Amino acid sequence: MDVDLRKLRYFVAVAEHLHFGRAADALHIAQPVLSRQIRALEGELKVSLFDRNRRSTSLTEAGEQLLADARPLLAGAEALRRRVAEAAAGKRTFTIGFMPGLVVTSAVRTLLARHPQLDVKVLRTSWDDQTDVIHDGRADVSYVRLPVETRGLGMRPLLTEPRVVVLPADHRLAGKESVAVADLADEHLLQDPDAVPEWRDIATELRTGTRVPQPQVRTVEEKLEHVAAGRGVVVLPLSTATFYTRPDVVHAAVRDLGPNHVCLAWDASRRSRLVQEFVAIALERSAGR
């Protein structure tokens, strides 16, 4: 059975909005048309994707599975469209994603030396999109910080680095070269606790139920502003903390935190010689650090 990508896009819109009317508005189509397309998709797959009643719409287990699989499939289709359009326009580009604190200059220079006519671009990523840029074709390869969802990706480990806690300059622990996770038990973490499970397991605010809902803080710069204002602390890889040096925050090593792992990632379904050449370059450069 061939899967209609248009129907998949319609399904994802409904799954994300959990409301047929709002999904139809977002897609700029009539709601009856959207409903017919979803019923047709359910008929083709021979499953029910949504539980619907007058008050709500929710995903069935089959719907949850399709949503998980549909997103990377649609992203891959968009990546294909981008590459074909670039080829038709006579462009030969190669884009490298990288997380804050990671310096990719050496590998970029090596690639350019080997391919002077290649248009090499770099793309700064974040915790939220460091693998999305591969799936949707914005980047050919990406330097990622673990953990990430690895499905559909080729991965090669490059390096590890210590993690540090970033504190206000007037904090009681400021000036210490290193601290233990237990020293941070009473602190307010400005991150998802799952990102630092060692802290999560001993945190006072989690144990007592006093942790307040967190505003979404996406960038390193935003996190550091909150730290400097005395609203909490963050745990970052050492290279990120040192890259964003500022006088109103300090950092200290956390002795009993495991290191951050950096990998190079790419679309595992692609058979690109240029991607494989860059993987080799990145591995060589990381070994020579």
Side-chain angles (χ1 to χ4, degrees), residues 11-51:
F11 161 76
V12 169
V14 178
E16 291 178 342
H17 287 87
L18 292 178
H19 190 282
F20 277 75
R22 288 194 291 270
D25 289 342
L27 293 165
H28 305 292
I29 62 174
Q31 183 174 335
V33 173
L34 177 59
S35 296
R36 284 198 298 272
Q37 292 296 314
I38 296 300
R39 285 196 297 271
L41 180 61
E42 289 177 320
E44 292 167 6
L45 296 174
K46 296 180 174 56
V47 297
S48 175
L49 299 172
F50 296 99
D51 287 324

Side-chain angles (χ1 to χ4, degrees), residues 177-189:
E177 287 190 11
S178 67
V179 299
V181 173
D183 296 328
L184 306 174
D186 293 334
E187 301 296 330
H188 174 61
L189 190 72

Side-chain angles (χ1 to χ4, degrees), residues 1 4 23 80 128-129 131 139 163 187 196 209 219 243 272 289:
M1 180 192 72
D4 186 334
L80 182 150
D128 295 329
D129 69 357
T131 57
R163 288 189 290 168
E187 301 296 330
V196 192
T219 69
F243 185 81
S272 165
R289 280 170 59 96

Side-chain angles (χ1 to χ4, degrees), residues 9 14 17 55 75 101 109 112 117 122 178 236 242:
R9 291 190 184 94
V14 178
H17 287 87
R55 294 185 177 182
R109 288 172 65 90
L112 279 170
Q117 305 306 313
V122 291
S178 67
L236 297 175
T242 55

Side-chain angles (χ1 to χ4, degrees), residues 159-237:
L159 58 99
T160 62
E161 60 175 314
R163 288 189 290 168
V164 301
V165 61
V166 183
L167 312 158
D170 59 356
H171 192 276
R172 62 183 175 85
L173 297 174
K176 292 185 176 292
E177 287 190 11
S178 67
V179 299
V181 173
D183 296 328
L184 306 174
D186 293 334
E187 301 296 330
H188 174 61
L189 190 72
L190 294 164
Q191 293 161 276
D192 182 343
D194 288 341
V196 192
E198 300 92 337
W199 174 88
R200 178 198 61 201
D201 295 340
I202 63 168
T204 301
E205 66 179 23
L206 295 179
R207 189 176 66 253
T208 60
T210 56
R211 183 174 173 85
V212 297
Q214 298 299 293
Q216 196 164 40
V217 182
R218 294 186 178 277
T219 69
V220 176
E221 294 88 346
E222 290 171 339
K223 291 174 182 176
L224 295 182
E225 285 296 332
H226 285 291
V227 172
R231 294 172 180 155
V233 302
V234 296
V235 172
L236 297 175

Side-chain angles (χ1 to χ4, degrees), residues 81-101:
R81 185 199 65 76
R82 286 173 185 264
R83 290 194 291 267
V84 170
E86 287 183 354
K91 297 179 181 178
R92 191 163 181 246
T93 65
F94 191 84
T95 302
I96 302 158
F98 66 97
M99 285 285 284

